[in-house]
């Protein structure tokens, strides 16, 4: 049991009642102790996946195992291991943060005395203790998000899942949230977070899966992903293909057909030196274009989205 | 920690939260039924009742309607408590706090039902105390009285829960009491004996579950009933069983709760 991965997602599919196919057969593995990012644009299926893991959404097929425990077949056992910070505010706004935390612990069968101690500990760590006895609707947007983190810690989960916890939260609050989550991770809790902020995933996570239109399009380490993204590929149409491709420093050349070459190089590499080198080997370039890949397109969309996102403001609901 | 003690803590948590809620909004949960029933006692019991005279078994009209009115407040308050509390939890999405926990469905159901029954009992006692200002009563069969209250409150708590599970907007939990519960209560022998009705109305009245609750309770308090007391308990137990099975089935399928 202890050697089982923190999470195994096995060919999960979800089609909602209205016919929307939110997940089209997703598989991934998260190792114990990892800090894992699930990155994708709005509507990609991130919340659907997390809904299935936390049993709020019924999968159409496939299964997930949390530390070896099946969410489908041993729901209760699996839920004991998970702490969930959902995307939308979902506590009773008329209750007090202290009661919200203590009651949550109660649902997990944690005796009230232990629950009260934990509530004090986590509300303190998330700097909400002075608000513990105020009605939750009086909290600011950032405080409400932190309250949901404290609440998720009440059962001291082995797997903490956060669904876009920083959406609409200002930079400072965001930093303090990450400090807390980093400490939790360092203490051994596996963390999975979804985000559509690339920088957030970059600065926090060791491994990453990228999801788009209900499909995982990349699943790798943060390091390798960044290396990929740092590389640019150009498609060059050449007048005549040389018999042997020259070796150019910092550029990897590939022949794709009779008249085209692909040149892959770091974004920082300048193009003048590429053309100079090609001329020196008597290769004439007749036209050139940028080769786009799905990952890049996705990142463009993500980054655009990130820019349009307001820097402040909460997810306050009319309720 | 054993499963039983885990479930007990969870159950206690829900019941406690329900009772805290009832107390927090006591002006909405405890005061209105007290006022409504005081008006019923004044108008039907005192003003009109004094002209009716003894109705059955030598009881005054006031004495006759007290058990019915107490049962009526228990029913409406149990129903109202669970439907608004559980639908409110769905509406604010705080129901998710319970749905993501390891808690089995029956604990959720039992917790909410116990909370709603508690509200029914508190209101029932309150109304009974008010009734004592208007008339004297001495309970003939205490055990039957208590059991009929318990079963009546449980049935309508379960029904209110089912209503809340299906409800998509607040109207959905407001309409059922108005169009179903209130008419059934009025036709359930609260204000009159069904023996006073001709056929087919007497036969039709006998398919109304509220008739059995009101009469079981009246039997407990006054010792008179329009229906056989054994039959009344069979009907009530059947409703408890049927509605429990339905509610658990809905929870298991996640109707209105898990997408
Ligand atoms: N309850 C639901 N009913 C129907 N469609 C839904 C529901 N929830 C999400 N969807 C749809 O499923 C897709 C994935 O949504 P979601 O998982 O919320 O994406 P993300 O969290 O990545 O933004 C979207 O097209 C969304 O409109
Ligand atoms: Mg989402």
């Amino acid at each position: 049991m202890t050697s089982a991965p923190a999470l195994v997602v096995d060919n999960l599919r979800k089609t909602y009642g209205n016919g929307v196919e939110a997940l089209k057969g997703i598989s991934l593995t998260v190792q114990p102790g990892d800090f894992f990012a699930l990155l994708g644009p709005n509507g990609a299926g991130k919340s659907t996946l997390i809904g299935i893991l936390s049993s709020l959404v019924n999968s159409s097929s496939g299964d997930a195992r949390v530390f070896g425990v099946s969410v489908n077949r041993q729901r209760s056992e699996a839920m004991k291991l998970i702490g969930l910070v959902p995307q939308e505010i979902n506590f009773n706004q008329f209750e007090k943060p202290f009661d919200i935390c203590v009651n949550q612990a109660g649902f997990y069968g944690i005796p009230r005395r232990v629950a009260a101690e934990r509530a004090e500990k986590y509300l303190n760590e998330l700097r909400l203790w002075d608000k513990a006895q105020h009605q939750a609707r009086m909290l600011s947007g950032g405080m409400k998000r932190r309250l949901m983190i404290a609440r998720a810690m009440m059962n001291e989960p082995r797997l903490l899942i956060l669904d876009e916890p920083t959406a609409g939260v200002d930079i400072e609050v965001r930093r303090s949230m990450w400090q807390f989550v980093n400490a939790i991770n360092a203490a051994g809790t596996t963390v999975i977070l979804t985000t559509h902020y690339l920088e957030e995933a970059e600065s926090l996570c060791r491994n990453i899966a990228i999801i788009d239109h209900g499909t995982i399009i990349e699943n790798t380490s943060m390091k390798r992903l960044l290396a990929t993204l740092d590389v640019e590929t150009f498609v060059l149409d050449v007048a005549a293909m040389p018999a042997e491709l020259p070796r150019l420093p910092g550029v990897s050349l590939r022949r794709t057909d009779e008249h085209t070459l692909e040149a892959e190089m770091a974004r920082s590499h300048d193009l003048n030196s590429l053309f100079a080198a090609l001329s020196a080997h008597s290769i004439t370039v007749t036209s050139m274009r940028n080769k786009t890949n799905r990952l890049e397109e996705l990142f463009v969309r993500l980054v655009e989205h990130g820019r349009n996102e307001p820097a402040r403001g909460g997810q306050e609901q009319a309720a | 920690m054993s499963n039983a003690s885990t479930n007990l803590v969870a159950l206690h948590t829900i019941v406690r939260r329900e009772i805290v809620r009832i107390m927090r909004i006591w002006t909405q949960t405890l005061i209105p039924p007290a006022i409504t029933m005081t008006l019923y006692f004044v108008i039907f019991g005192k003003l009109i009742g004094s002209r009716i005279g003894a109705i059955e078994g030598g009881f005054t009209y006031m004495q006759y309607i007290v058990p019915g009115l107490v049962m009526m407040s228990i029913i409406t308050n149990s129903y109202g408590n669970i439907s608004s509390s559980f639908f409110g939890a769905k509406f604010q999405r705080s129901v998710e706090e319970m749905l993501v926990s390891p808690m089995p469905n029956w604990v959720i159901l039992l917790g909410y039902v116990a909370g709603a029954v508690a509200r029914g009992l508190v209101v029932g006692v309150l109304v009974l105390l008010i009734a004592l200002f208007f008339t004297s009563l001495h309970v003939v069969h205490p055990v039957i009285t208590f059991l009929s209250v318990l079963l009546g409150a449980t049935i309508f708590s379960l029904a209110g829960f089912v209503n809340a599970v299906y409800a998509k907007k607040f109207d959905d939990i407001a309409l059922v009491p108005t169009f179903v519960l209130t008419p059934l209560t009025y036709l359930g022998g609260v204000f009159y004996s069904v023996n006073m009705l001709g056929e087919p109305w007497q036969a039709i009245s006998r398919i109304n579950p509220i008739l059995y609750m009101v009469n079981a309770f009246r039997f407990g308090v006054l010792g008179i009933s329009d229906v056989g007391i054994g039959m009344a308990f069979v009907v009530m137990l059947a409703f408890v069983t049927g509605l429990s099975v339905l509610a658990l089935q809905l929870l298991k399928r996640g109707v209105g709760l898990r997408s």
Side-chain angles (χ1 to χ4, degrees):
Chain A
M1 279 289 279
T2 39
S3 61
L7 177 67
V8 175
V9 171
D10 187 9
N11 202 18
L12 266 189
R13 289 175 190 276
K14 174 64 184 177
T15 307
Y16 282 106
N18 60 0
V20 173
E21 202 181 351
L23 295 180
K24 301 170 184 164
I26 278 191
S27 299
L28 57 88
T29 302
V30 177
Q31 294 305 332
D34 200 358
F35 201 134
F36 191 92
L38 192 61
L39 190 72
N42 270 331
K46 304 183 294 296
S47 296
T48 300
L49 174 57
I50 284 176
I52 292 172
L53 299 182
S54 55
S55 80
L56 288 173
V57 175
N58 295 321
S59 56
S60 304
S61 70
D63 194 10
R65 287 188 298 284
V66 182
F67 292 100
V69 182
S70 158
V71 170
N72 278 350
R73 281 173 285 113
Q74 299 152 274
R75 195 198 76 89
S76 279
E77 291 308 308
M79 292 310 116
K80 283 180 193 162
L81 304 169
I82 297 179
L84 173 69
V85 181
Q87 185 173 355
E88 311 280 350
I89 306 289
N90 73 342
F91 45 75
N92 184 331
Q93 306 262 350
F94 298 101
E95 287 176 3
K96 300 166 183 161
F98 183 76
D99 295 337
I100 288 172
C101 290
V102 170
N103 286 339
Q104 187 69 42
F107 300 148
Y108 288 78
I110 296 160
R112 216 167 165 79
R113 191 181 45 76
V114 181
E117 280 166 16
R118 281 192 199 171
E120 179 169 354
K121 173 173 181 234
Y122 290 111
L123 287 172
N124 255 317
E125 286 181 17
L126 285 148
R127 294 188 287 138
L128 286 169
W129 185 240
D130 56 329
K131 303 282 183 208
Q133 298 297 338
H134 291 55
Q135 277 198 354
R137 69 196 166 96
M138 308 302 237
L139 304 184
S140 71
M143 288 176 180
K144 286 178 180 173
R145 302 229 151 245
R146 267 144 54 208
L147 171 55
M148 294 204 296
I149 298 181
R151 185 184 62 182
M153 290 307 297
M154 291 305 293
N155 61 322
E156 308 206 312
R158 290 176 69 190
L159 174 62
L160 179 65
I161 305 178
L162 305 103
D163 195 358
E164 301 205 28
T166 54
V169 170
D170 65 52
I171 291 277
E172 238 163 285
V173 175
R174 207 177 283 194
R175 281 214 189 100
S176 73
M177 273 166 63
W178 293 141
Q179 229 169 1
F180 176 85
V181 178
N182 259 328
I184 292 297
N185 177 244
T189 306
T190 309
V191 178
I192 298 178
L193 87 98
T194 79
T195 180
H196 54 240
Y197 295 116
L198 182 53
E199 315 89 87
E200 192 162 276
E202 184 180 336
S203 62
L204 287 164
C205 301
R206 284 186 287 281
N207 290 294
I208 186 166
I210 298 173
I211 176 170
D212 194 21
H213 297 298
T215 314
I216 301 238
I217 59 173
E218 186 74 72
N219 184 359
T220 176
S221 76
M222 202 68 221
K223 258 193 204 131
R224 248 180 281 152
L225 176 76
L226 291 175
T228 329
L229 283 176
D230 219 31
V231 169
E232 210 165 10
T233 307
F234 294 101
V235 181
L236 310 170
D237 295 321
V238 294
M241 190 60 70
E244 202 169 323
L245 291 179
R247 287 180 185 281
L248 307 179
V251 180
S252 111
L253 275 184
R254 226 180 8 254
R255 211 184 97 154
T256 45
D257 64 45
E258 277 310 294
H259 295 283
T260 41
L261 285 178
E262 274 186 15
E264 194 184 287
M265 58 199 189
R267 282 188 197 277
S268 52
H269 198 100
D270 71 296
L271 289 174
N272 283 356
S273 64
L274 170 68
F275 286 116
L278 289 172
S279 301
H281 288 87
S282 317
I283 298 173
T284 312
V285 177
T286 56
S287 74
M288 174 180 101
R289 69 198 131 81
N290 211 315
K291 181 178 174 181
T292 55
N293 62 42
R294 287 192 305 158
L295 199 55
E296 274 186 30
E297 279 173 33
L298 176 77
F299 271 90
V300 170
R301 277 196 284 141
L302 283 171
V303 171
E304 298 271 283
H305 187 89
R307 284 212 194 92
N308 296 336
E309 196 75 7
R312 264 172 185 279
Q315 298 249 318
E316 242 93 4
Q317 325 226 309
Chain B
M1 232 179 341
S2 78
N3 246 343
S5 73
T6 304
N7 287 337
L8 208 60
V9 171
L11 183 65
H12 178 237
T13 304
I14 298 184
V15 177
R16 185 192 167 110
R17 191 170 71 161
E18 285 301 291
I19 290 173
V20 167
R21 176 185 167 276
I22 294 167
M23 293 308 173
R24 186 175 60 217
I25 52 172
W26 61 280
T27 51
Q28 296 168 51
T29 51
L30 303 179
I31 298 300
I35 294 177
T36 318
M37 288 306 148
T38 306
L39 290 174
Y40 274 112
F41 290 140
V42 171
I43 296 168
F44 290 101
K46 264 214 130 47
L47 300 180
I48 299 176
S50 61
R51 292 168 180 240
I52 294 178
I55 180 163
E56 209 185 307
F59 294 106
T60 65
Y61 188 58
M62 175 67 102
Q63 284 172 322
Y64 186 80
I65 63 170
V66 165
L69 289 175
V70 170
M71 187 51 104
M72 181 169 153
S73 8
I74 291 171
I75 287 171
T76 43
N77 281 280
S78 297
Y79 193 97
N81 199 77
I82 204 164
S83 61
S84 60
S85 177
F86 195 72
F87 181 73
K90 262 175 61 170
F91 187 78
Q92 293 208 43
R93 304 181 67 153
S94 60
V95 68
E96 292 176 4
E97 292 176 337
M98 292 178 281
L99 298 180
V100 302
S101 81
M103 214 178 355
N105 291 332
W106 66 264
V107 173
I108 299 181
L109 182 64
L110 187 57
Y112 270 88
V113 167
V117 167
R119 158 108 170 257
L121 291 183
V122 171
V123 169
V125 168
L126 217 56
V127 172
L128 203 57
L129 289 177
I130 294 171
L132 291 178
F133 281 100
F134 296 93
T135 182
S136 64
L137 283 171
H138 77 101
V139 176
V140 180
H141 307 291
V143 175
I144 290 183
T145 305
F146 180 72
L147 286 179
S148 57
V149 165
L150 197 65
L151 287 174
T154 305
I155 291 169
F156 281 89
S157 301
L158 288 165
F161 186 86
V162 170
N163 188 180
V165 164
Y166 280 115
K168 294 209 160 61
K169 47 191 191 313
F170 275 103
D171 274 353
D172 298 342
I173 55 165
L175 294 181
V176 176
T178 310
F179 290 106
V180 182
L181 211 50
T182 309
L184 281 182
T185 316
Y186 278 82
L187 298 173
V190 171
F191 297 104
Y192 55 85
S193 161
V194 283
N195 296 329
M196 293 156 74
L197 299 175
E199 291 298 350
W201 302 113
Q202 226 185 92
I204 292 175
S205 293
R206 285 179 199 278
I207 44 178
N208 179 358
I210 294 182
L211 181 76
Y212 296 90
M213 294 167 206
V214 167
N215 276 287
F217 187 56
R218 186 175 283 138
F219 182 81
V221 178
L222 304 178
I224 54 169
S225 171
D226 292 348
V227 296
I229 195 69
M231 180 63 179
F233 274 90
V234 168
V235 169
M236 290 193 285
L237 284 170
F239 267 94
V240 170
T241 311
L243 286 167
S244 300
V245 169
L246 174 61
L248 288 172
Q249 199 60 36
L250 291 173
L251 280 171
K252 187 174 174 200
R253 279 167 45 211
V255 174
L257 297 169
R258 303 184 203 260
S259 35

